[in-house]
């Protein structure tokens, strides 16, 4: 434990923490201060963890730290019970829990920084399957997964580039080549500048060229913006066409549908939706919850070694053998009632599986229908762009369009008859056909009897009464449901207003409590600082008192060795030594003062002697210089200079 604390203190005193702790001060930290140190270390790994825990609830602090430690794959020591103790110790700031976490984090800080950075982009956001039925949500989720895969690829390439080492010789060659290119470019620019300076109005031409470059860049930006707007317009047109097609199909279905078909279709949709809501979705939700619970249980358990895996495999084999033995015993009994129940269970499971398969097939068919509608709209757009005309569907061949086409064909036929010289032929033919048709219709009407008409009326009345009687319970149930919906809506509004008022009151109380907690925390910190200051003063006074007691014991003691150790004796000895030294220095000062006059005279004599010798030296040098210029010879009382 001491080595662990020493390692933690050494790393906390280094960059970037610079805590200036020693073993004693670090071990005497309060739980809140220790949690703050752990939060600072986590903030160095993940910058989003920069939080002052005094402004955060303890549960939120523990939840935040546990989530990040889970992302960093920290495995607490012990089993599941120790895991609960670990959570509790993290909440209260227990040293046996915090110290191993700090030691583990400070050992691999760089590795954990990388893991926390990758976790922000690689932890997948789970979207419920019912939300993925929406086309927009499904497309967005697919883009999200594609971007995650692209990030993985780019990160791998980046790591490979970081680990890939270039030789210094290649780098130097590249640098020298780039420097040569730079020199060539500089020379070329200088030549171009000189060439341009000889041209008239070169400043104006440079300004125009600069404006041209700016306009070209603007043109590229506008072209890109135009392309983006075209894409947006294309998507909007496709969406409009899809909605229009849906509207036409719905109108066509509403126009051509009979009450029986509508009721049948609604009943089928209600059955399908009720099956999905009451059976399929709850089963899937329950399976997801079980899977989530299992995964949470797996995550909460410590890491398993090879021995643990072997033990689990042996247990699984034992359980499998027990299951096989039980199945054999059951088969040997061969109870008929149990056999019938198993048969019914098998049939029920087969029917449920078939039901689930049909529901999935229906869901896939709906998705396939949506895809086909999108393909049809795309093909329609391509056809419209190709020849400018719109392809008509069966429900789009209305009476007005057919009449318009008939008029066009009649006009073309008249022009052809005029060219051939038989104008009016088609009109005469049509009149004859119309007259014959009218005659046949009149004959047919005459052939109908009154009994047929009355029978048809009776049949229609009976059909209407049957439909009314069939729709009566549905309408009654619908009225009850509407009334119930109104009551529930009113109750929901009342509950919502109560909730809002209660939430507002709780929020105001929470703010007041937070202010009180802040004030109490500040008072607590002030009292703690005052307490630590008082403890330091008490310790200083205790040290001084201990020294005074030791001095008194040494001074009163009869032992000469103990007396010599006393501070008073040491100071007395030092004073005596200093007095002796001062006495010697005063005597030396007195001797210096007495010998000062004669010594000064002696110094002056030496200086005069030095000047005399310097003068002789100069004279000698001067005489030597004159002798080198010429020679003076005295003969017969005359002086002669010989050069």
């Amino acid at each position: 434990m001491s080595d662990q604390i020493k390692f933690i203190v050494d790393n906390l005193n280094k960059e970037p923490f610079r805590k200036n702790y020693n073993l004693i001060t670090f071990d005497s930290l309060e739980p809140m201060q220790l949690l703050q140190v752990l939060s600072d270390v986590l903030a160095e790994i993940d910058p989003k963890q920069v939080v002052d825990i005094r402004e955060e609830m303890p549960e939120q602090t523990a939840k935040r730290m546990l989530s990040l430690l889970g992302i960093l794959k920290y495995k607490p020591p012990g089993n599941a019970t120790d895991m609960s103790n670990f959570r509790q110790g993290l909440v209260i700031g227990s040293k046996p829990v915090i110290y191993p976490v700090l030691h583990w984090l400070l050992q691999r800080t760089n590795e954990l920084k990388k893991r926390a950075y990758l976790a922000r982009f690689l932890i997948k956001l789970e979207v419920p399957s019912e939300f993925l039925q929406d086309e927009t949500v499904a497309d967005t989720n697919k883009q999200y997964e594609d971007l995650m895969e692209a990030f993985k690829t780019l990160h791998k390439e980046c790591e490979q580039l970081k680990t890939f080492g270039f030789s210094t010789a290649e780098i130097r060659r590249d640098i020298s080549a780039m420097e040569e290119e730079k020199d060539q470019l500089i020379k070329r620019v200088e030549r171009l500048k000189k060439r341009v300076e000889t041209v008239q109005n070169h400043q104006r031409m440079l300004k125009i060229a600069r404006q041209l470059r700016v306009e070209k860049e603007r043109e590229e930006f506008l072209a890109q913006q135009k392309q983006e707007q075209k894409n947006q317009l294309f998507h909007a047109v496709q969406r409009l066409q899809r909605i229009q097609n849906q509207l036409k199909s719905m109108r066509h279905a509403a126009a051509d549908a009979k009450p029986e078909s509508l009721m049948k279709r609604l009943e089928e949709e209600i059955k399908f939706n009720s099956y999905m809501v009451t059976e399929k979705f709850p089963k899937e939700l329950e399976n997801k919850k079980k899977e989530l619970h299992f995964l949470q249980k797996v995550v909460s358990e410590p890491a398993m070694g090879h021995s643990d895996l072997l033990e689990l495999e042996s247990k699984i084999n034992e359980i499998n053998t027990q299951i096989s033995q039980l199945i054999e015993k059951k088969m040997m009994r061969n109870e008929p009632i149990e056999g019938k129940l198993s048969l019914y269970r098998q049939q029920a499971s087969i029917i449920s599986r078939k039901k689930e398969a049909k529901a999935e097939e229906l869901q896939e068919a709906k998705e396939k229908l949506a895809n086909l509608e999108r393909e049809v709209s795309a093909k329609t757009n391509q056809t419209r762009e190709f020849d400018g005309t719109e392809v008509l569907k069966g429900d789009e061949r209305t009476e007005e369009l057919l009449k318009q086409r008939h008029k066009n064909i009649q006009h073309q036929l008249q022009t052809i008859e005029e060219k051939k010289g038989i104008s009016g032929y088609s009109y005469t033919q049509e009149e004859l056909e119309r007259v014959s048709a009218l005659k046949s219709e009149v004959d047919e009407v005459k052939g109908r009897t009154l009994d047929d008409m009355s029978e048809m009326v009776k049949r229609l009345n009976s059909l209407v009464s049957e439909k009314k009687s069939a729709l009566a319970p549905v309408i009654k149930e619908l009225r009850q449901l509407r009334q119930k919906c109104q009551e529930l809506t009113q109750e929901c509004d009342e509950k919502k207003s109560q909730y809002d008022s209660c939430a507002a009151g709780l929020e105001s109380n929470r703010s007041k409590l937070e202010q009180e907690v802040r004030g109490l925390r500040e008072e607590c910190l002030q009292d703690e600082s005052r307490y630590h200051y008082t403890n330091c003063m008490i310790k200083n006074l205790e040290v001084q008192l201990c020294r005074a007691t030791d001095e008194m014991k040494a001074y009163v003691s009869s032992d000469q060795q103990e007396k010599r150790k006393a501070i008073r004796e040491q100071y007395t000895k030092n004073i005596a030594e200093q007095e002796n030294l001062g006495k010697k220095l005063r005597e030396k000062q007195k001797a210096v003062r007495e010998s000062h006059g004669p010594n000064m005279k002696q110094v002056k004599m030496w200086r005069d002697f030095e000047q005399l010798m310097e003068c002789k030296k100069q004279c000698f040098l001067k005489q030597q210089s004159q002798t080198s210029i010429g020679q003076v010879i005295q003969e017969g009382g005359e002086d002669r200079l010989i050069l």
Side-chain angles (χ1 to χ4, degrees):
M1 180 64 77
S2 59
D3 296 336
Q4 191 181 59
I5 297 175
K6 186 176 179 182
F7 176 79
I8 294 170
V9 170
D10 292 340
N11 283 275
L12 289 176
N13 291 334
K14 295 177 183 178
E15 290 289 339
F17 304 107
R18 292 185 296 178
K19 295 292 186 180
N20 295 325
Y21 288 144
N22 54 33
L23 295 176
I24 298 173
T25 56
F26 180 73
D27 193 55
S28 62
L29 289 177
E30 298 294 329
M32 288 288 290
Q33 296 173 343
L34 196 60
L35 283 173
Q36 186 63 53
V37 171
L38 178 58
S39 180
D40 294 340
V41 175
L42 292 175
E44 178 62 25
I45 294 171
D46 187 3
K48 292 192 293 185
Q49 303 292 324
V50 179
V51 178
D52 188 357
I53 61 172
R54 292 178 297 179
E55 299 177 357
E56 191 178 29
M57 297 299 291
E59 292 81 6
Q60 294 178 354
T61 304
K63 184 178 179 181
R64 175 174 58 84
M65 291 181 178
L66 283 171
S67 62
L68 183 57
L69 289 174
I71 291 171
L72 299 177
K73 297 182 180 180
Y74 175 71
K75 297 289 194 270
N79 50 18
T81 57
D82 295 334
M83 187 66 190
S84 61
N85 295 331
F86 173 77
R87 292 194 185 94
Q88 186 178 2
L90 192 63
V91 172
I92 63 175
S94 177
K95 292 180 181 179
V97 174
I98 303 295
Y99 285 173
V101 178
L102 285 173
H103 185 263
W104 186 80
L105 292 174
L106 294 172
Q107 273 184 334
R108 47 183 68 83
T109 305
N110 295 326
E111 178 186 350
L112 296 177
K113 281 183 181 179
K114 181 179 177 182
R115 189 174 295 173
Y117 168 74
L118 293 176
R120 287 190 297 169
F121 304 102
L122 297 182
I123 292 180
K124 188 176 180 181
L125 180 64
E126 295 295 336
V127 181
S129 58
E130 57 268 20
F131 293 156
L132 291 175
Q133 301 298 327
D134 190 359
E135 186 176 346
T136 307
V137 177
D139 293 339
T140 306
N141 188 47
K142 190 174 183 305
Q143 291 178 4
Y144 168 67
E145 292 176 353
D146 294 340
L147 289 173
M148 187 180 290
E149 295 297 328
F151 174 77
K152 289 180 182 178
T153 306
L154 291 174
H155 181 70
K156 287 180 181 177
E157 292 178 357
C158 181
E159 292 297 324
Q160 289 176 359
L161 290 174
K162 285 181 180 179
T163 56
F164 184 73
F166 294 97
S167 63
T168 56
E170 292 179 357
I171 295 172
R172 286 174 181 172
R173 284 197 297 270
D174 293 338
I175 292 172
S176 61
M178 286 189 285
E179 287 179 353
E180 290 177 359
E181 291 179 359
K182 180 182 176 183
D183 295 335
Q184 292 177 1
L185 289 173
I186 291 171
K187 292 178 181 178
R188 187 175 178 184
V189 170
E190 289 177 355
R191 287 198 300 270
L192 290 173
K193 281 183 178 179
K194 291 179 181 179
R195 191 180 300 172
V196 170
E197 287 176 357
T198 57
V199 180
Q200 294 180 356
N201 299 326
H202 65 279
Q203 293 292 338
R204 183 169 173 272
M205 293 176 69
L206 288 174
K207 184 177 180 182
I208 293 170
R210 194 177 298 111
Q211 291 177 357
L212 178 62
R213 179 177 54 79
V214 172
E215 291 298 328
K216 283 185 177 180
E217 291 178 355
R218 185 182 176 189
E219 182 182 2
E220 291 177 358
F221 175 73
L222 291 174
Q224 185 178 2
Q225 192 174 8
K226 182 180 178 182
Q227 186 64 32
E228 291 177 357
Q229 290 178 357
K230 280 184 178 179
N231 294 332
Q232 293 176 1
L233 179 62
F234 177 71
H235 292 304
V237 169
Q238 281 188 342
R239 188 177 178 184
L240 177 61
Q241 289 176 355
R242 187 167 59 250
I243 294 171
Q244 286 178 351
N245 293 330
Q246 292 177 0
L247 181 61
K248 287 179 182 178
S249 61
M250 291 173 69
R251 285 179 178 175
H252 180 66
D256 296 340
K258 296 180 181 179
E260 296 87 350
S261 61
L262 286 174
M263 291 298 296
K264 188 175 180 181
R265 190 181 302 169
L266 288 173
E267 288 176 357
E268 289 177 355
E269 289 183 358
I270 289 169
K271 287 180 181 178
F272 175 73
N273 291 329
S274 62
Y275 166 72
M276 296 292 287
V277 172
T278 58
E279 295 184 14
K280 186 174 177 59
F281 288 160
K283 286 182 182 178
E284 292 181 355
L285 182 61
E286 188 66 26
N287 293 329
K288 293 293 183 183
K289 285 182 179 179
K290 289 180 181 178
E291 187 177 356
L292 178 62
H293 178 69
F294 177 73
L295 292 175
Q296 288 178 350
K297 187 177 179 181
V298 171
V299 170
S300 62
E301 290 180 356
M304 300 178 67
H306 186 67
S307 60
D308 297 330
L309 291 174
L310 293 175
E311 185 178 357
L312 283 176
E313 286 180 357
S314 63
K315 287 182 179 179
I316 290 168
N317 293 327
E318 291 177 0
I319 292 170
N320 288 329
T321 54
Q322 292 177 4
I323 290 170
S324 61
Q325 290 174 2
L326 291 173
I327 290 170
E328 289 177 357
K329 289 180 181 179
K330 188 176 180 182
M331 291 175 67
M332 289 175 67
R333 289 177 185 175
N334 196 9
E335 296 179 357
I337 298 173
E338 199 64 33
K340 292 180 181 179
L341 291 176
S342 63
L343 180 62
Y344 292 148
R345 289 195 193 101
Q346 289 178 359
Q347 291 178 355
S349 63
I350 290 169
I351 291 169
S352 63
R353 283 197 295 271
K354 285 183 178 180
K355 201 172 181 181
E356 291 177 358
K358 293 298 180 183
E360 291 177 356
E361 287 178 2
L362 181 58
Q363 195 69 25
E364 291 176 358
K366 287 184 177 180
E367 294 177 357
K368 190 175 181 181
L369 180 60
N371 294 327
L372 290 173
E373 287 178 354
R374 285 196 294 271
E375 290 180 2
V376 168
S377 62
K379 297 295 183 182
T380 306
N381 294 330
Q382 292 178 1
T383 307
R384 188 185 297 109
E385 291 175 359
F386 181 71
D387 56 358
T389 60
E390 187 174 359
V391 179
L392 296 177
K393 296 180 181 178
D395 56 349
E396 292 176 346
R397 295 189 182 96
T398 59
E399 185 178 358
E400 290 79 5
L401 292 173
L402 293 173
K403 286 181 179 179
Q404 184 66 33
R405 290 192 177 185
H406 179 67
K407 288 179 181 179
N408 295 331
I409 293 169
Q410 288 293 331
H411 181 68
Q412 293 176 2
L413 185 59
Q414 288 176 5
T415 54
I416 293 169
E417 287 176 354
E418 288 176 358
K419 289 180 180 179
K420 300 294 183 179
I422 53 171
S423 60
Y425 175 77
S426 60
Y427 177 73
T428 306
Q429 185 70 25
E430 287 178 358
E431 286 293 327
L432 290 173
E433 291 177 357
R434 187 170 62 82
V435 170
S436 62
L438 287 173
K439 184 178 180 300
S440 62
E441 287 178 1
V442 170
D443 294 337
E444 187 178 355
V445 169
K446 285 180 180 180
R448 292 176 183 174
T449 61
L450 186 60
D451 295 333
D452 295 334
M453 298 291 291
S454 61
E455 187 179 354
M456 185 180 293
V457 170
K458 288 180 182 179
R459 193 164 55 250
L460 289 173
N461 289 330
S462 63
L463 185 61
V464 169
S465 62
E466 288 176 1
K467 296 301 178 186
K468 284 183 179 179
S469 61
L471 290 173
V474 178
I475 294 170
K476 186 178 179 180
E477 186 179 358
L478 181 61
R479 287 174 182 171
Q480 293 176 358
L481 291 174
R482 283 179 180 173
Q483 186 178 0
K484 189 176 180 180
C485 179
Q486 290 177 358
E487 293 175 357
L488 291 174
T489 305
Q490 185 178 1
E491 186 179 357
C492 179
D493 295 335
E494 292 176 357
K495 297 293 184 182
K496 188 177 181 182
S497 61
Q498 293 176 5
Y499 169 76
D500 293 335
S501 61
C502 182
L506 292 174
E507 185 67 24
S508 61
N509 293 332
R510 186 178 68 83
S511 61
K512 290 179 183 178
L513 290 173
E514 285 181 352
Q515 291 178 359
E516 292 178 1
V517 168
R518 288 195 190 95
L520 292 172
R521 283 180 176 174
E522 290 177 357
E523 291 178 2
C524 182
L525 290 174
Q526 291 176 1
D527 293 338
E528 284 182 358
S529 63
R530 198 177 296 114
Y531 168 74
H532 291 306
Y533 176 74
T534 306
N535 281 338
C536 292
M537 295 298 295
I538 290 170
K539 288 181 181 179
N540 290 331
L541 292 174
E542 288 177 353
V543 171
Q544 292 178 4
L545 181 62
C546 183
R547 290 176 65 185
T549 304
D550 294 338
E551 179 67 21
M552 183 62 70
K553 288 180 181 178
Y555 182 72
V556 176
S557 178
S558 60
D559 191 1
Q560 295 297 325
Q561 295 292 334
E562 292 292 332
K563 281 189 176 182
R564 288 174 185 174
K565 292 181 181 179
I567 297 174
R568 183 173 181 179
E569 292 294 331
Q570 293 178 3
Y571 279 127
T572 304
K573 183 178 178 181
N574 291 334
I575 290 169
E577 290 177 356
Q578 294 297 324
E579 286 179 353
N580 293 329
L581 182 61
K583 185 176 180 181
K584 290 179 181 179
L585 290 173
R586 284 193 295 272
E587 291 176 355
K588 190 174 181 180
Q589 184 182 10
K590 183 178 179 182
V592 169
R593 285 178 179 174
E594 290 176 355
S595 61
H596 181 263
N599 289 335
M600 291 300 293
K601 288 181 182 179
Q602 189 175 1
V603 167
K604 187 175 182 303
M605 290 173 64
W606 278 106
R607 286 178 180 171
D608 294 339
F609 178 72
E610 184 179 4
Q611 290 178 359
L612 179 61
M613 294 302 293
E614 183 69 24
C615 182
K616 286 184 177 183
K617 179 182 176 183
Q618 294 295 330
C619 292
F620 178 74
L621 292 173
K622 186 176 180 182
Q623 184 179 1
Q624 289 291 330
S625 62
Q626 288 177 358
T627 305
S628 62
I629 294 170
Q631 187 177 5
V632 179
I633 300 174
Q634 294 180 358
E635 291 181 357
E638 295 180 354
D639 295 332
R640 288 188 298 174
L641 177 62
I642 299 172
L643 298 174

